[in-house]
Amino acid sequence: MADYREIIHERFFVKVPGGDSLRKTAAARQKHLLANGWREVERAQTPEYFQVKFERTGHAPMKARLPKKGPEIRDQRPRRRDGRGGPGGGGPRGPR
């Protein structure tokens, strides 16, 4: 049986064009992905960002079937005595 593999490509922007240090958000995102089981497979550098390919393997996610939505049952409420609310629209409006 084939193993399950997820692959994502991320762009991590650098602080200074042509530099090596990542911006705060990029560094935190990379740290988060590595902590959650992603492995860095390859990296390509441009002056503005690093293009990084991550992958992780494991069990295939379960394809759960959601139950079909049944017909909506509406609540039949009696009209109010003062003519407001309830099915059938509103009643006469008085002065404000």
Side-chain angles (χ1 to χ4, degrees):
M1 185 173 188
D3 61 335
Y4 179 75
R5 180 176 296 167
E6 287 181 279
I7 297 174
I8 58 171
H9 296 270
E10 291 281 331
R11 282 185 181 176
F12 296 123
F13 287 89
V14 295
K15 285 184 182 178
V16 179
D20 288 340
S21 59
L22 294 174
R23 296 178 73 145
K24 280 198 267 185
T25 11
R29 174 82 175 143
Q30 183 184 28
K31 191 174 180 181
H32 171 75
L33 289 171
L34 293 173
N36 284 324
W38 291 92
R39 288 189 316 271
E40 186 175 322
V41 178
E42 77 183 55
R43 177 186 285 218
Q45 185 174 358
T46 65
E48 303 283 320
Y49 59 86
F50 291 107
Q51 175 83 27
V52 182
K53 179 180 175 183
F54 288 100
E55 76 172 20
R56 69 177 172 186
T57 58
H59 298 291
M62 290 180 49
K63 301 210 177 197
R65 272 185 63 168
L66 297 175
K68 289 188 176 181
K69 192 173 183 181
E72 186 177 325
I73 300 172
R74 295 200 56 186
D75 188 21
Q76 296 295 329
R77 294 182 300 190
R79 289 183 63 104
R80 292 174 51 162
R81 287 187 184 185
D82 57 1
R84 295 186 317 189
R93 295 184 71 123
R96 290 188 163 204

